[in-house]
């Protein structure tokens, strides 16, 4: 530790700290534009100038290391002044330079109200300028459908350039020209290709880059802000939902160091318009082959008539990718009271069973724990598409030091160097037999990590592949008492929670494939399962939010609440218990899903024993205590689970692995209802075609 005097306050800080960090430890506020804690140091803006005793001029505190400070002539600690006259004059001069070319359009600027330049000009600037020449003008750039440019405002802080190059790993933006002619742009003004590009608008401190879909739609002081979590994938990113009245206007990131740090994917951010398009806002009943609006009483009466005349063995229940734990728990209890054992949550047909142990379907190392791994093997997964923020964490670990990464599956651009080992299960067998050079890399690693994707498990031989992967993980030392380096990468927000509840077929019950087969069942309860097609012959009760595949097949539609319209529990791919918060109310006659199931149970004569969400959760926690631990990952016996999985045996087929997600942007009913994400999907397909050519 090094002693330092900051405005007369003595602090002890590590020698590798910068002066800016040391000043913040001492409680001093240092203005900055180019500096960001998660990006490399650029030293562009000079707004962070401070006076360092003994230095001939003010120094940029973001780029000056504590270890480079010289002590006083008698060994006194280095002294930094953040409020001296010299510092104040230096900052005023920098601010005057920054504003030389900046347009005076604050009243119409989308950044107004949350603009760093606006705030710091008020705090550190002066009320006049000595510059009277014409301001520099820059043409606006097209960089895609998600970010609008106003490059006259750009101060060349290069945060956007550094984020895309360092964090996202897709260097879409760069600088051209020199001096006054310097401009930030994409190559030939093409659309950016990163699935994290919307974060550059959050990083921009001056309004040069703003979210295009929300442009001129809302002001920050009009919004009510609600902390929540994302369900567009299984990562469970921390988000903030901004609402005006009853309508969600924008979604942004919250800081959560354990999961998403402070980034979110474009799908998470831009699904906003999908929350209000194609919504189911009233019950529907199919008559004479056509759906018609109905009352809740009519819908429940039709369901009662069908259920009453059906054999429980010919009734089944499916749950989809966006269902909360509460409604799945209520549906399971309702099915249990009816004597139904045909239950399944594994829409893609993954070979996962809660009886094998919780470590069999979660990521044991946790997302933050990836930073401790020293070798990674990806089996049947493309984390860039399936879990973009988890992929960011792998890339971050690669940037921290040497990280060998092996991929078995479809070739992909993962944004970091990796070795494509092969396409299918035979490569996994070669690694286990030591026939591949990467096997030595894994065995030589002290903390290897094996991640198995649903692309490897959603096949008839999925259990055999999971067994082979677990056996390999045991052999290379990936699963020990100190380190759990084996995990499954889920792609659906609801999957881990449903498996925690045991929402899988009971003894003699049918799985998803069996229930959706033609004529297999008489009645199917479909709780938001839009990725499967129920075969002819079944009476389908669909409970969901959007008019998607499930609703088009339904005989009765019960409108539910989206994740922004209810308080619901989700379990992310790590096994971390999280909760959404209600930011608005469902449209029309739609209701929260657990309440719909509670009302339906009364009509069916199998009344569920709770009348409120609090009572439901008490029953849930009594049966599954670990779900009461919010933001916690329950401990599980990874070693025993690995033994169980390795003992499953089986012979994998030779078919290559295929990613379960063909399109990053359109993976669920809410995303498919979004026009913005549809445009992004079209651009992504066009880029793929161009790359193939």
């Amino acid at each position: 530790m090094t002693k330092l005097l900051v405005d007369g306050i003595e602090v002890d800080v590590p020698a590798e700290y910068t002066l800016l960090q040391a000043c913040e430890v001492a409680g001093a506020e240092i203005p900055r534009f180019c500096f960001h804690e998660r990006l490399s140091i650029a030293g562009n803006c000079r707004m962070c100038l401070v006076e360092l005793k003994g230095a001939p001029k003010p120094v940029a505190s973001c780029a000056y290391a504590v270890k480079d400070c010289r002590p006083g002539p008698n060994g006194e600690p280095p002294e930094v002044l953040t409020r001296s006259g010299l510092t104040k004059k230096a900052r005023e001069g920098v601010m005057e330079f920054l504003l030389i070319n900046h347009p005076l359009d604050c009243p119409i600027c989308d950044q107004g109200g949350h603009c760093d330049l606006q705030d710091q000009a008020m705090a550190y600037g002066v009320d006049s300028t000595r510059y009277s020449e014409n301001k520099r003008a820059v043409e606006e750039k097209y960089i895609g459908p998600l970010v609008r440019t106003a490059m006259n405002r750009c101060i060349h802080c290069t945060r956007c350039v550094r984020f895309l190059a360092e964090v996202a790993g897709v260097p879409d933006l760069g600088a051209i020209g020199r001096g006054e002619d310097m401009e930030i742009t994409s190559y030939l003004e093409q659309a950016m290709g990163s699935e994290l590009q919307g974060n550059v608008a959050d990083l921009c401190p001056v309004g040069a880059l703003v979210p295009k879909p929300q442009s001129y739609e809302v002001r920050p002081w009009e919004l009510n802000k609600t902390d929540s979590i994302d369900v567009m994938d299984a990562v469970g990113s921390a988000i903030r939902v901004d609402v005006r009245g009853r309508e969600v206007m924008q979604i942004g990131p919250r800081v959560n160091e354990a999961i998403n740090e402070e980034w979110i994917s474009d799908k998470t951010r831009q699904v906003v318009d999908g929350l209000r398009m194609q919504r189911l806002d009233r019950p529907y009943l199919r008559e004479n082959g056509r759906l018609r609006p109905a009352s809740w009483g009519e819908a429940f009466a039709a369901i009662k008539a069908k259920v009453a005349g059906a054999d429980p063995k010919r009734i089944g229940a499916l749950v989809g990718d966006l269902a909360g734990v509460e409604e799945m728990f209520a549906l399971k209890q309702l099915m249990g009271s009816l004597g139904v054992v045909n239950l399944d949550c594994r829409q893609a047909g993954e070979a996962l069973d809660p009886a094998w142990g919780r470590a069999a379907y979660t990521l044991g190392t946790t997302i933050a724990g990836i930073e401790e791994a020293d070798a990674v093997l990806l089996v049947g997964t493309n984390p860039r598409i399936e879990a973009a923020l988890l992929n960011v964490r792998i890339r971050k670990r690669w940037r921290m030091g040497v990280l060998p990464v092996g991929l078995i599956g479809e070739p992909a651009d993962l944004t970091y160097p990796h070795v494509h080992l092969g396409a299918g299960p035979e490569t996994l067998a070669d690694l286990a037999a030591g026939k591949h050079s990467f096997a030595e890399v894994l065995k030589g690693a002290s903390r290897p990590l094996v991640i198995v994707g649903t692309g490897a498990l959603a096949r008839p031989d999925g259990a055999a592949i999971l067994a082979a992967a677990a056996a390999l993980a045991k052999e290379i030392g990936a699963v020990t008492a100190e380190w759990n380096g084996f995990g499954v990468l889920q792609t659906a927000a609801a999957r881990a929670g449903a498996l925690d509840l045991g929402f899988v077929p009971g003894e003699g019950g049918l799985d998803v494939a069996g229930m959706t087969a033609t004529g297999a069942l008489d009645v199917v309860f479909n709780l938001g399962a839009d990725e499967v097609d129920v075969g002819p012959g079944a009476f389908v009760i669909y409970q969901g939010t959007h008019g998607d595949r499930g609703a088009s097949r339904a005989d009765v539609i019960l409108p539910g609440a989206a994740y922004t319209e209810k308080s619901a529990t989700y379990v992310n791919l790590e096994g971390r218990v999280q909760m959404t918060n209600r930011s608005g109310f469902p449209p029309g006659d739609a209701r929260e899903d657990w309440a719909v199931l509670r009302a339906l149970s009364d009509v069916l004569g199998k009344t569920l024993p709770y009348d409120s969400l609090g009572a439901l959760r008490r029953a849930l926690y009594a049966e599954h205590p670990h779900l009461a631990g919010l933001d916690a990952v329950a401990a599980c016996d990874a070693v025993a689970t690995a033994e169980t999985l390795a003992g499953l045996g089986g012979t994998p087929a030779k078919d290559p692995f295929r990613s379960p997600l063909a399109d990053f942007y359109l993976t669920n009913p809410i995303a498919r209802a979004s026009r913005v994400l549809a445009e992004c999907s079209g651009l992504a397909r066009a880029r793929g075609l161009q790359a193939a050519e």
Side-chain angles (χ1 to χ4, degrees):
M1 303 291 279
T2 303
K3 286 191 184 301
L4 205 68
L5 281 176
V6 179
D7 295 331
I9 300 172
E10 186 176 290
V11 293
D12 283 330
V13 295
E16 61 271 15
Y17 265 32
T18 63
L19 285 184
L20 188 149
Q21 291 171 303
C23 291
E24 289 186 335
V25 169
E29 181 179 314
I30 306 296
R32 81 291 297 270
F33 291 114
C34 68
F35 176 79
H36 192 278
E37 291 82 357
R38 304 186 196 279
L39 304 177
S40 62
I41 294 171
N44 293 337
C45 71
R46 320 306 284 183
M47 194 64 207
C48 63
L49 292 175
V50 296
E51 182 180 356
L52 177 63
K53 283 291 185 71
K57 58 183 180 180
V59 299
S61 59
C62 72
Y64 204 98
V66 168
K67 62 185 176 184
D68 294 331
C69 297
R70 293 192 303 179
N74 299 315
E76 303 94 337
E79 186 172 357
V80 180
L81 301 174
T82 69
R83 296 194 293 267
S84 66
L86 180 63
T87 302
K88 182 175 183 293
K89 185 177 179 181
R91 291 173 180 169
E92 288 175 352
V94 169
M95 182 61 70
E96 186 176 8
F97 275 121
L98 289 175
L99 294 176
I100 279 176
N101 285 307
H102 197 80
L104 300 176
D105 57 359
C106 293
I108 63 165
C109 176
D110 269 2
Q111 198 84 348
H114 54 111
C115 174
D116 291 349
L117 183 64
Q118 197 175 53
D119 295 341
Q120 293 185 37
M122 287 291 294
Y124 302 102
V126 293
D127 60 356
S128 60
T129 179
R130 292 168 285 179
Y131 190 82
S132 59
E133 286 79 2
N134 292 329
K135 291 183 180 290
R136 183 182 77 132
V138 182
E139 288 186 4
E140 308 305 354
K141 308 289 191 289
Y142 172 76
I143 58 175
L146 302 185
V147 181
R148 181 176 64 81
T149 64
M151 302 310 290
N152 283 341
R153 304 170 187 159
C154 182
I155 61 170
H156 301 157
C157 70
T158 67
R159 278 186 180 184
C160 54
V161 177
R162 284 177 284 146
F163 168 80
L164 290 170
E166 297 167 10
V167 178
V170 185
D172 288 323
L173 293 181
I176 60 172
R178 298 180 66 186
E180 188 170 291
D181 296 325
M182 179 178 168
E183 299 179 18
I184 303 294
T185 184
S186 60
Y187 180 67
L188 298 180
E189 296 196 23
Q190 291 181 337
M192 293 186 287
S194 171
E195 63 284 351
L196 303 167
Q197 60 186 272
N199 291 288
V200 301
D202 289 340
L203 288 170
C204 183
V206 299
L209 304 174
V210 294
K212 184 179 282 187
Q214 289 82 38
S215 287
Y216 304 114
E217 291 289 330
V218 69
R219 288 294 197 181
W221 52 83
E222 300 175 326
L223 301 172
N224 292 318
K225 301 171 173 61
T226 305
D227 291 348
S228 190
I229 58 127
D230 173 52
V231 300
M232 291 297 105
D233 55 27
V235 173
S237 301
I239 61 172
R240 191 194 70 214
V241 182
D242 295 346
V243 177
R244 183 174 62 189
R246 294 174 60 93
E247 188 174 355
V248 176
M249 300 304 296
Q250 59 190 29
I251 294 174
R254 287 189 295 120
V255 176
N256 188 328
E257 300 292 349
I259 301 176
N260 60 308
E261 298 181 301
E262 60 183 88
W263 321 119
I264 54 173
S265 73
D266 294 333
K267 181 167 55 176
T268 299
R269 184 186 300 273
Q270 299 300 349
V271 78
V272 170
D273 62 325
L275 287 166
R276 51 180 177 262
M277 303 289 288
Q278 300 182 22
R279 287 301 302 270
L280 300 173
D281 59 357
R282 66 183 71 179
Y284 286 86
L285 188 60
R286 190 177 297 277
E287 287 184 355
N288 302 319
R290 297 175 65 89
L291 289 168
R292 68 163 179 86
S295 67
W296 282 104
E298 289 177 304
F300 285 167
I303 296 170
K304 180 180 180 180
K306 285 293 182 180
V307 171
D311 182 348
K313 294 181 180 179
R314 293 187 60 81
I315 300 175
L318 303 169
V319 296
D321 294 347
L322 304 182
V325 168
E326 287 82 359
E327 52 257 36
M328 291 190 289
F329 179 71
L331 180 58
K332 186 184 178 190
Q333 286 204 321
L334 179 58
M335 292 297 102
S337 67
L338 293 171
V340 174
V341 295
N342 302 314
L343 310 173
D344 210 349
C345 64
R346 302 161 298 184
Q347 271 197 103
E350 305 98 312
L352 295 171
D353 193 329
W356 298 337
R358 199 164 190 251
Y361 55 86
T362 57
L363 184 69
T365 186
T366 73
I367 294 173
I370 290 173
E371 295 182 21
E372 300 178 30
D374 52 3
V376 177
L377 176 65
L378 304 173
V379 181
T381 181
N382 179 351
R384 182 177 174 186
I385 292 177
E386 298 169 25
L389 275 302
L390 182 141
N391 195 63
V392 164
R393 197 68 74 133
I394 297 176
R395 176 176 168 80
K396 179 181 179 182
R397 170 59 187 87
W398 167 75
R399 292 184 65 234
M400 290 164 60
V402 176
L403 179 69
V405 179
L407 172 64
I408 303 176
E410 295 179 293
D413 177 7
L414 299 179
T415 72
Y416 42 82
H418 63 278
V419 180
H420 184 246
L421 305 175
E426 66 279 359
T427 307
L428 198 59
D430 290 344
L431 282 173
K435 296 179 182 179
H436 199 292
S437 59
F438 199 79
E440 296 303 317
V441 174
L442 293 172
K443 290 179 180 177
S446 59
R447 292 195 166 187
L449 173 60
V450 178
I451 300 177
V452 184
T454 53
L457 303 179
R459 345 177 337 149
D461 60 346
I465 293 170
L466 186 61
L472 175 63
K474 276 184 57 189
E475 184 180 341
I476 63 175
V479 182
T480 64
E482 295 78 28
W483 170 251
N484 180 9
F486 177 77
V488 171
L489 197 161
Q490 302 284 358
T491 58
R495 197 72 80 245
L499 291 169
D500 277 353
L501 295 177
F503 206 102
V504 293
E507 186 176 350
L510 300 175
D511 61 7
V512 166
M515 283 189 273
T516 55
T518 301
L521 297 177
D522 294 332
V523 179
V524 175
F525 282 83
N526 182 342
L527 183 59
D530 288 275
E531 315 307 320
V532 296
D533 293 312
V534 180
F539 182 85
V540 179
I541 303 146
Y542 176 76
Q543 186 174 341
T545 59
H546 285 70
D548 206 78
R549 287 168 63 182
S552 66
R553 170 63 183 87
D555 295 286
V556 176
I557 295 176
L558 306 177
Y563 70 103
T564 57
E565 300 157 359
K566 62 186 176 184
S567 174
T569 304
Y570 289 86
V571 181
N572 79 344
L573 55 80
E574 308 167 292
R576 186 183 303 274
V577 181
Q578 300 176 291
M579 190 175 289
T580 62
N581 289 314
R582 175 192 281 165
S583 58
F585 290 89
D589 291 334
R591 296 292 183 268
E592 291 188 45
D593 297 286
W594 75 266
V596 174
L597 291 166
R598 167 62 180 81
L600 177 59
S601 71
D602 205 20
V603 173
L604 295 178
K606 303 291 184 180
T607 305
L608 294 173
Y610 30 79
D611 296 319
S612 67
L613 183 59
L616 186 156
R617 284 180 173 154
R618 284 193 291 274
L620 172 66
Y621 299 156
E623 195 167 326
H624 304 280
H626 73 279
L627 293 176
L630 283 182
D631 203 35
V633 180
C636 52
D637 191 342
V639 176
T641 300
E643 291 279 358
T644 301
L645 294 178
L648 293 176
T651 304
K654 295 185 178 181
D655 301 333
F657 298 137
R658 298 293 180 205
S659 174
L661 303 182
D663 190 326
F664 167 76
Y665 295 100
L666 308 180
T667 56
N668 59 65
I670 305 177
R672 286 191 287 269
S674 168
R675 293 175 179 173
V676 176
L677 295 183
E679 185 177 355
C680 293
S681 174
L683 287 170
R685 285 196 302 271
R687 283 195 301 271
L689 290 173
Q690 290 168 2
E693 293 171 356

